[in-house]
Amino acid sequence: MNVLIIEDEKPSARRLQRMLKSLNVEAETMLHSVEESINWFQNNEHPDLIFLDIQLSDGLSFEIFEVIDINSAVIFTTAYDEYALQAFKLNSIDYLLKPIDEDDLKAAVDKFKNRTHQSQSVTLDFNDIKKLLVNPIEREYKKRFSVKVGQHLKLINIEDIECIFSENKGTYAHTVEGRNYLLDLTLDQLEDELEPDVFFRISRKFYVNINAIKDIISYTNSRLQIKLNHFNEQEIIVARERVKDFKNWLE
């Protein structure tokens, strides 16, 4: 299987390459920009499968499709966990949310391998998806959660939540009162429910509320540590793969 990685952050590209190799999938070629990718496609046989980052150093990767007719299957790797995934789901495009999880990657590769007699060409309207990325559709986000406390139901307003985290297979909302409440949704299920300007998924384990951030500290391995106003039960670390997007989100 001939596999290509298009990713502007070289450490992320190498990490994906190593993860694929552990699945016995070789990705020898890695490209890092729209311009480089267009030049490569004009002079090389198209691969069977492309792992394609959305935001490249010189623009959105959809610009490649405006110039080149891609004859490959595509799996997007994306940090756009708020609204872009809606477009992917609507158009049945495979995607992997950064930081990429090994199990999710294996499932995506297996899904591709198990496809039989299907056209590999990209026939979707990427302009429509690009519009969603640049001008996301207006939508209503969750304003409150109802949680069970003993025999009672308690309403928690979204602005009272400092962070949402997973622990021991449960999902918890930590409030400004310093209490944790068990939610009936996973972090992945919350992707379309939380307002992206307010909540950011800093890792596989944590969403943080921008209004609850007290301090941001440099941490080991180019990561960041976040201090919230009230949450002090454990360290909150921004995954290295998410630091760049987190800094952009802060602005």
Side-chain angles (χ1 to χ4, degrees):
M1 181 166 57
N2 188 6
V3 177
L4 171 68
I5 295 173
I6 304 178
E7 160 69 65
D8 69 325
E9 296 183 359
K10 294 182 180 180
S12 296
R14 289 192 293 268
R15 177 175 180 267
L16 177 55
Q17 185 184 46
R18 291 193 300 270
M19 293 173 70
L20 287 168
K21 190 169 185 177
S22 69
L23 299 174
N24 296 317
V25 176
E26 296 290 339
E28 296 181 358
T29 302
M30 293 186 288
L31 308 174
H32 307 292
S33 69
V34 173
E35 182 180 4
E36 182 184 17
S37 299
I38 290 174
N39 290 335
W40 188 90
F41 280 113
Q42 289 174 334
N43 294 285
N44 293 274
E45 183 179 350
H46 292 189
D48 301 308
L49 177 62
I50 305 169
F51 285 89
L52 181 62
D53 187 16
I54 290 179
Q55 184 67 59
L56 300 175
S57 58
D58 56 347
L60 292 174
S61 59
F62 298 109
E63 296 171 25
I64 300 171
F65 296 94
E66 296 172 359
V67 180
I68 304 294
D69 290 329
I70 304 294
N71 299 314
S72 310
V74 177
I75 296 176
F76 283 99
T77 59
T78 175
Y80 287 89
D81 58 334
E82 56 274 8
Y83 48 82
L85 299 192
Q86 300 172 45
F88 297 153
K89 290 172 184 174
L90 289 172
N91 289 277
S92 301
I93 300 176
D94 283 340
Y95 65 89
L96 292 169
L97 180 63
K98 294 180 179 179
I100 296 174
D101 177 72
E102 292 180 1
D103 292 337
D104 293 341
L105 176 62
K106 184 178 186 305
V109 171
D110 288 344
K111 180 180 178 182
F112 168 75
K113 288 181 176 179
N114 291 331
R115 289 167 60 173
T116 57
H117 308 299
Q118 294 185 21
S119 172
Q120 302 293 307
S121 61
V122 178
T123 58
L124 300 166
D125 191 340
F126 286 96
N127 284 327
D128 284 348
I129 301 175
K130 182 178 177 181
K131 289 175 185 175
L132 282 178
L133 294 174
V134 178
N135 300 301
I137 55 177
E138 293 293 326
R139 59 157 295 167
E140 288 291 322
Y141 295 99
K142 209 162 187 64
K143 292 182 172 62
R144 66 190 64 85
F145 289 97
S146 62
V147 297
K148 189 174 182 181
V149 182
Q151 299 300 313
H152 303 270
L153 284 179
K154 178 180 175 63
L155 292 179
I156 303 175
N157 292 325
I158 202 74
E159 59 266 24
D160 294 330
I161 296 176
E162 285 199 335
C163 64
I164 302 174
F165 64 98
S166 62
E167 188 173 64
N168 297 325
K169 298 185 179 180
T171 303
Y172 298 88
H174 185 87
T175 67
V176 294
E177 300 170 341
R179 292 194 59 183
N180 295 328
Y181 294 95
L182 181 64
L183 305 179
D184 59 0
L185 295 170
T186 66
L187 291 188
D188 288 341
Q189 291 170 333
L190 286 170
E191 288 169 4
D192 297 332
E193 302 293 334
L194 299 175
E195 186 173 353
D197 289 340
V198 178
F199 284 89
F200 186 85
R201 189 170 185 177
I202 62 167
S203 65
R204 292 182 58 206
K205 189 174 182 179
F206 270 96
Y207 275 100
V208 296
N209 184 335
I210 194 170
N211 300 305
I213 296 176
K214 180 171 63 175
D215 197 8
I216 303 171
I217 308 165
S218 295
Y219 200 71
T220 59
N221 295 325
S222 302
R223 295 176 295 172
L224 296 173
Q225 181 180 16
I226 295 176
K227 298 288 187 181
L228 301 181
N229 292 327
H230 302 95
F231 184 89
N232 54 15
E233 299 178 14
Q234 55 183 290
E235 288 186 328
I236 303 178
I237 307 299
V238 182
R240 185 169 57 182
E241 297 86 355
R242 306 234 65 193
V243 167
K244 178 181 177 181
D245 296 305
F246 174 71
K247 289 179 177 178
N248 291 336
W249 174 73
L250 291 174
E251 299 173 358

